[in-house]
Amino acid sequence: MQVIVVGGGMVGAAAALALADDGHSVTVVEAGPGYSDDVSDSWDLRISSVHQANVDWLQQLGVWAAITPAKWFPYQQLSVRSSNGVQVDFAASEVAASALGAMVENLSLQQALWQQLAQHPRVTLLAQQRIEQLDSPQQRLRIGDQWYDYDLVIGADGANSQVAQLAGIGMRGWDYDMTCLLAIARTEQPVPAATWEVFRPCGPYALLPLGAQQVCLIDYRSQQQWQTLPTDAQVTAELAAVFTAHIGAFTVSQHGRFPIRRQRALSYHAYDSVVLIGDAAHSIHPLAGQGVNLGFADVQELQQQLREQTTLASALAHYERQRVAANQRMMRAMDAIHVGFSSQHVLPQLVVDTGLQLLKRTPWLKQQIIRQAMGG
């Protein structure tokens, strides 16, 4: 089967590699440069929390070993604290595991994926190219002046998917009126290999461990609040006021902000030959860091259905049925967490605190949640 993957980011590149390994001829069309061998020693702001099941999957694809060792870091514990101070810790050791997952720099993971793709005999890479036209009746698309035939087009080109637009697939979504600030910092004292999140009425804040003394600090606030802090010194001062009590003194090397939006495609496929995966199909609140994990789950489900179903139409229909249900559950869960943990009303706070206390007293339930957090 001739497959064209539009979008060579982490999810699109993983899809291309997985399907090429299954024997399909794959062309990857990427608007950017794909990857560069010139990778900075410092961490980029774009970081993903990859749960352990997907780390194992990327190892099976031969990708994980190719990631620059300094650009991924395993974590063994995850903690959640409510606005009233009720905290629950989830540790890998509770399920006899060595890690819950790993933090990884997006650019380094994408670089490792492209290195694998560049060596693959069934993969063609077209970097710095865009699709201009999609001719669904003839099953061909145009890039510049050249037409490419396909059996399947995979749209992995992000929330503003050109594939979705050319295929006539609509989107539905809304802004959360929140901005997420990310900062890379170096601490004076070592920090545990644990990620944690603290909720408060104005929005949560969190820490991702990137090394013994390297962290990513995350602070969610309303768009208006962060817009009133334009200078580096002001941002650093705000972060110090929030995080110093947790990790001691630290130095911020870089920071950036982005708005938070929830969006989903009205359909995951069209014409029995076009399918959406990753952010092209769904983008969710990043509270639990599930965005890339949902994208990788899309890839694995699509790969399985293409293996099992006798027709492409049937494979895409089964893929959509499975992934819409799973992704919608996660999106609703993130909405519930966003509302419940941030609420200033007594009843939602009571429900949240009661639920966390129940988890602390129920080991088997905690273990179930830990296994789910690991992708089990």
Side-chain angles (χ1 to χ4, degrees):
M1 184 167 66
Q2 179 62 54
V3 179
I4 298 179
V5 178
V6 181
M10 295 182 293
V11 173
L17 185 57
L19 295 185
D21 282 348
D22 278 358
H24 303 293
S25 296
V26 181
T27 299
V28 180
V29 184
E30 166 57 34
Y35 80 94
S36 170
D37 288 324
D38 184 19
V39 177
S40 171
D41 292 335
S42 61
W43 281 70
D44 186 72
L45 284 170
R46 291 166 293 179
I47 297 164
S48 292
S49 173
V50 180
H51 62 53
Q52 192 58 42
N54 279 331
V55 171
D56 295 341
W57 177 65
L58 290 167
Q59 287 176 334
Q60 292 169 13
L61 287 177
V63 173
W64 198 261
I67 302 173
T68 304
K71 293 302 182 67
W72 69 272
F73 187 73
Y75 62 94
Q76 286 83 42
Q77 183 171 308
L78 184 155
S79 300
V80 177
R81 184 188 301 177
S82 75
S83 57
N84 290 328
V86 180
Q87 179 170 320
V88 179
D89 302 322
F90 303 92
S93 59
E94 296 181 68
V95 293
S98 60
L100 297 176
M103 304 301 168
V104 62
E105 183 188 67
N106 290 8
L107 289 176
S108 293
L109 176 52
Q110 184 174 341
Q111 179 190 45
L113 283 160
W114 272 66
Q115 287 174 344
Q116 296 294 105
L117 290 172
Q119 299 168 9
H120 206 293
R122 285 186 289 273
V123 174
T124 300
L125 298 174
L126 301 177
Q128 296 181 307
Q129 301 284 344
R130 292 180 180 273
I131 59 171
E132 306 289 342
Q133 187 177 347
L134 183 70
D135 182 353
S136 54
Q138 298 296 319
Q139 292 194 192
R140 60 178 188 163
L141 58 78
R142 181 166 61 86
I143 301 173
D145 296 327
Q146 187 170 350
W147 287 92
Y148 293 81
D149 295 327
Y150 65 82
D151 298 298
L152 175 65
V153 170
I154 299 176
D157 49 342
N160 298 313
S161 170
Q162 188 181 16
V163 171
Q165 295 172 21
L166 292 175
I169 299 175
M171 297 285 173
R172 178 180 298 162
W174 63 82
D175 292 319
Y176 282 99
D177 190 29
M178 293 193 75
T179 293
C180 176
L181 182 136
L182 298 174
I184 303 297
R186 184 164 186 83
T187 61
E188 293 186 1
Q189 300 296 324
V191 296
T195 180
W196 49 261
E197 192 153 16
V198 177
F199 289 85
R200 59 189 172 175
C202 68
Y205 60 96
L207 177 143
L208 308 180
L210 307 179
Q213 292 178 254
Q214 189 94 340
V215 295
C216 176
L217 307 177
I218 306 174
D219 195 334
Y220 300 89
R221 304 191 190 183
S222 70
Q223 292 181 5
Q224 183 177 6
Q225 282 182 290
W226 274 128
Q227 285 173 355
T228 59
L229 295 170
T231 70
D232 291 349
Q234 286 175 304
V235 170
T236 299
E238 286 291 321
L239 291 174
V242 172
F243 287 97
T244 301
H246 297 279
I247 60 174
F250 59 87
T251 303
V252 174
S253 58
Q254 58 177 314
H255 64 81
R257 290 170 282 180
F258 64 89
I260 298 174
R261 179 173 173 78
R262 180 196 201 273
Q263 179 175 288
R264 69 177 182 89
L266 299 182
S267 174
Y268 280 17
H269 70 97
Y271 307 115
D272 295 334
S273 60
V274 177
V275 67
L276 304 180
I277 62 174
D279 286 350
H282 47 78
S283 56
I284 69 171
H285 198 297
L287 270 174
Q290 288 300 306
V292 72
N293 290 307
L294 291 181
F296 288 153
D298 291 345
V299 174
Q300 293 165 60
E301 184 66 39
L302 179 60
Q303 182 183 28
Q304 179 179 339
Q305 295 301 335
L306 290 174
R307 288 171 175 173
E308 294 180 354
Q309 302 302 320
T310 57
T311 67
L312 181 55
S314 178
L316 299 186
H318 279 79
Y319 159 78
E320 179 177 64
R321 189 176 305 116
Q322 294 295 323
R323 294 310 302 156
V324 166
N327 292 332
Q328 285 292 89
R329 283 196 299 270
M330 182 59 71
M331 294 173 90
R332 287 192 290 266
M334 291 303 99
D335 289 343
I337 290 173
H338 170 70
V339 173
F341 276 84
S342 302
S343 176
Q344 300 183 53
H345 297 289
V346 174
L347 185 56
Q349 290 182 359
L350 179 62
V351 171
V352 167
D353 291 345
T354 301
L356 293 180
Q357 293 285 12
L358 177 63
L359 283 176
K360 294 172 73 172
R361 297 192 301 266
T362 316
W364 67 267
L365 185 56
K366 271 188 71 179
Q367 291 170 356
Q368 287 290 100
I369 292 176
I370 292 169
R371 291 189 180 96
Q372 290 182 1
M374 294 174 63

